[in-house]
Amino acid sequence: MPELSVPGMSRHTGTLTPSDGLLVQDVGVPASIPAIVEPSVLRWARESIDLTPVAASRKIGVPDDRVAAWESGEEVPTIAQLRKAADVYKRSLAVFFLAAPPAGFDTLRDFRRHEGATAGPWSQGLHEDYRRAHVQRDLALELYELEDAEPPSGWQISPLPSPDDALASAARQRLLAGAPLPLPGGSGTAYEHLNTWVAALETAGVMVLAASGGRVPTSEMRAFSLYFDVLPVIVVNGADATRGRLFSLLHEYAHLLLHTGGLCDTVTDAGATSPDRRLEARCNAIAAAILMPQAAVLAQPEVQARVNARASWTYSSLAAAAAPFGVSTEAFLRRLVDLGRVDPGFYSARREEYLARYEDEEAKSQGGGDWYRNTARDLGKGYVRLVSDAYRRRIIDSYTAATYLNVKVGQISRLAQAAALRNAV
């Protein structure tokens, strides 16, 4: 298996350090299990995917009390049992031989909860997608190193313009100037709008992934981002509505511009009082201004016709005005409030109704389950193109490419086709 580097592991030697949170390559695993298997590491691995000891025992295929006995130090697992545990916990076997649980890898700033609320445990799916985002980024960096190339850095803006409307304008100009696809305008579908902005971010040096297979509910995660100076990552929820993914995508980009990252819900919170909630509201506003520039919104015929009739908006008129921007009617209505063209009371009274209609329409328009398209979306089309292009040019061999993509060798070609720029995400 090819060497994969992760935080805390030397890129060339595969050396595992106590700060390491994930190791894909099994290095230094002894043939027999010594007494140095640390029970607290076993407990950490189980708790990281939110399994009880009994549930873990059943998934591993041992008696119900066996995992608890391992974690108390009363019993020691065999190598075969550890291999099964590694599979169940979605960890490398080598992780179990750390001297202590890794520190810091499974931490992500949580912007979702209001002030005073307590953070809940992550689901197994969210843990897996979070770790996958880190691993895919490391694999991408490996490919850039093999090519002796630097990842693009066009996503960065320094110094940041002020106020935020100027920041949003600069960000929009920066992304679209280098975008490989033009904005589709009013005739484009929601998928085409999303595809354009994803391609723009990937070209600028941001990895864009999706939560795999919709296994993470949108009630838990709309999107999250990992801030790095080089090759930051945005993960949207593949189970989310297309227009919802688009807004979440730009919300997370706003976080990256502000050198922050975390787990977000992108829900407008007019009464935000905590620093985290104020930051979320700010990122919402920046995302809205990037997607819906003030001049373009105010130039819309539907908007101009209601200068003196602010409460005359219907769902169909909002949908028509929102279409050229690829956003939902609710997001467009909120933008009108921010621009002083709709009263906040009208927005509050109609928001739930418009959200319900929008979600119903999105549910009816969702496409079928094309495996290649969905896999390209989840892995990130830019990432698939990076790997498949390196394979095509023989920078890496077929086994390495298949491993990086977690597919069979025979599937690489069709997956690369699904990841083509103009194919919808």
Side-chain angles (χ1 to χ4, degrees):
M1 184 175 185
E3 180 188 56
L4 315 184
S5 64
V6 293
M9 185 181 77
S10 165
R11 175 167 293 183
H12 299 291
T13 64
T15 304
L16 188 63
T17 67
S19 63
D20 187 86
L22 177 66
L23 185 64
V24 179
Q25 184 183 25
D26 289 339
V27 293
V29 177
S32 60
I33 303 298
I36 62 169
V37 175
E38 174 57 48
S40 63
V41 173
L42 293 169
R43 184 180 307 110
W44 161 80
R46 173 183 58 77
E47 291 177 345
S48 73
I49 60 168
D50 198 28
L51 282 178
T52 66
V54 172
S57 295
R58 292 176 180 176
K59 285 180 175 289
I60 295 170
V62 294
D64 285 358
D65 61 351
R66 190 61 52 82
V67 166
W70 294 342
E71 294 178 3
S72 68
E74 297 175 9
E75 297 188 29
V76 177
T78 65
I79 189 67
Q81 290 168 337
L82 270 190
R83 289 189 184 278
K84 180 62 176 175
D87 181 60
V88 170
Y89 297 160
K90 307 300 180 183
R91 299 281 175 178
S92 167
L93 181 61
V95 166
F96 293 128
F97 298 95
L98 294 171
F105 190 84
D106 283 334
T107 59
L108 186 67
R109 189 171 178 182
D110 193 337
F111 295 107
R112 297 171 300 169
R113 292 171 170 80
H114 295 269
E115 188 174 17
T118 58
W122 291 9
S123 67
Q124 179 178 346
L126 180 54
H127 273 292
E128 291 178 12
D129 283 314
Y130 175 62
R131 293 198 299 271
R132 178 170 65 89
H134 277 279
V135 171
Q136 283 190 218
R137 176 179 179 270
D138 281 308
L139 295 176
L141 290 174
E142 291 280 2
L143 290 177
Y144 280 112
E145 185 175 287
L146 287 173
E147 298 268 27
D148 195 23
E150 293 293 329
S153 58
W155 66 272
Q156 301 183 50
I157 300 177
S158 181
L160 292 178
S162 182
D164 284 346
D165 277 347
L167 170 58
S169 178
R172 179 182 174 92
Q173 183 177 1
R174 175 70 59 87
L175 289 181
L176 295 183
L181 300 173
L183 283 174
S187 61
T189 67
Y191 283 110
E192 289 170 335
H193 278 276
L194 176 60
N195 197 45
T196 295
W197 285 103
V198 167
L201 281 165
E202 290 176 332
T203 301
V206 178
M207 289 188 68
V208 180
L209 285 59
S212 296
R215 63 188 175 192
V216 180
T218 55
S219 58
E220 180 181 25
M221 187 273 284
R222 300 293 298 274
F224 67 82
S225 54
L226 307 176
Y227 174 76
F228 297 95
D229 287 334
V230 176
L231 208 61
V233 184
I234 294 174
V235 181
V236 297
N237 196 325
D240 205 353
T242 311
R243 293 181 177 88
R245 275 185 275 158
L246 174 58
F247 195 88
S248 294
L249 180 74
L250 272 298
H251 176 102
E252 297 303 330
Y253 178 50
H255 270 292
L256 298 181
L257 290 174
L258 299 174
H259 292 195
T260 61
L263 188 59
C264 303
D265 59 13
T266 69
V267 174
T268 300
D269 186 4
T273 56
S274 71
D276 279 359
R277 298 304 294 180
R278 286 196 296 270
L279 179 57
E280 283 294 82
R282 184 185 181 190
C283 289
N284 281 346
I286 294 172
I290 293 174
L291 289 167
M292 298 171 279
Q294 176 176 334
V297 170
L298 297 182
Q300 285 292 98
E302 293 281 2
V303 177
Q304 293 184 347
R306 289 170 171 77
V307 171
N308 299 314
R310 300 151 76 93
S312 64
W313 286 98
T314 63
Y315 183 81
S316 59
S317 61
L318 276 170
F325 306 99
V327 299
S328 69
T329 53
E330 189 274 335
F332 190 78
L333 182 59
R334 177 69 200 187
R335 182 67 170 144
L336 291 176
V337 173
D338 292 340
L339 295 177
R341 292 304 181 94
V342 168
D343 296 329
F346 181 84
Y347 171 80
S348 298
R350 300 297 179 86
R351 179 176 183 271
E352 293 301 324
E353 172 194 347
Y354 290 166
L355 274 177
R357 289 190 60 176
Y358 154 68
E359 289 170 358
D360 182 59
E361 289 179 359
E362 284 285 337
K364 292 177 181 177
S365 67
Q366 292 296 316
D370 183 290
W371 185 86
Y372 287 97
R373 184 187 68 126
N374 292 342
T375 301
R377 174 202 67 194
D378 295 348
L379 290 172
K381 290 173 60 180
Y383 175 77
V384 173
R385 291 195 299 269
L386 182 69
V387 176
S388 59
D389 184 59
Y391 166 52
R392 179 182 58 81
R393 292 183 294 112
R394 300 186 179 182
I395 303 299
I396 56 176
D397 61 23
S398 60
Y399 178 75
T400 302
T403 302
Y404 280 23
L405 297 171
N406 194 29
V407 298
K408 298 176 181 178
V409 171
Q411 295 172 321
I412 296 175
S413 177
R414 285 191 61 186
L415 185 61
Q417 293 174 13
L421 276 171
R422 292 191 175 274
N423 287 341
V425 291

